[in-house]
Amino acid sequence: MNASTVKELATPLCALRLLATDFEHLPAPNVGVSTIFPGRLELSFHGDAEDLGGFAAFETWRQALGAEPHAVEFSVQSGGRTYVLSTYTEFAGASVRLVAYGPGPMASAGAEVAW
């Protein structure tokens, strides 16, 4: 069911407020709240080879929120140019999706990225 009012987004917005207070020292994520998934808060991390594509920030948040390591999914996008890590957890009544994007081995015209 799509949200039609801001009140219907209260759960993820309150979770975001608590995250900003409780985890102010953690790396800043991109934040998403959607009327399509009104109970979900998305924290995403983007980067390049120097910072492992935001994967380090993803792992820091995964640990802080207590998401199980075995629940992390790995996928590949854009013909091998982008690696993706994602998982879901709960925080303050909201479903929280953590997702990180980084360069895959095909990121720079076939050149391998050293991990």
Side-chain angles (χ1 to χ4, degrees):
M1 183 172 120
N2 291 349
S4 59
T5 66
V6 173
K7 182 177 181 176
E8 293 173 274
L9 300 175
T11 300
L13 292 174
C14 287
L16 178 60
R17 182 177 178 191
L18 288 172
L19 289 173
T21 301
D22 295 350
F23 299 107
E24 64 184 14
H25 59 287
L26 294 185
N30 291 300
V31 176
V33 176
S34 170
T35 59
I36 298 169
F37 301 104
R40 182 184 303 166
L41 174 64
E42 182 169 295
L43 305 178
S44 63
F45 307 91
H46 305 260
D48 54 29
E50 285 78 38
D51 66 3
L52 299 179
F55 298 138
F58 172 94
E59 179 60 14
T60 299
W61 277 96
R62 186 201 61 74
Q63 289 178 12
L65 295 176
E68 295 294 328
H70 63 76
V72 175
E73 295 182 0
F74 170 79
S75 61
V76 178
Q77 294 179 344
S78 303
R81 291 190 304 258
T82 304
Y83 282 169
V84 182
L85 295 178
S86 64
T87 193
Y88 289 89
T89 190
E90 298 287 321
F91 182 80
S95 171
V96 178
R97 180 175 187 241
L98 298 175
V99 62
Y101 303 93
M106 303 302 291
S108 58
E112 291 194 29
V113 176
W115 296 101

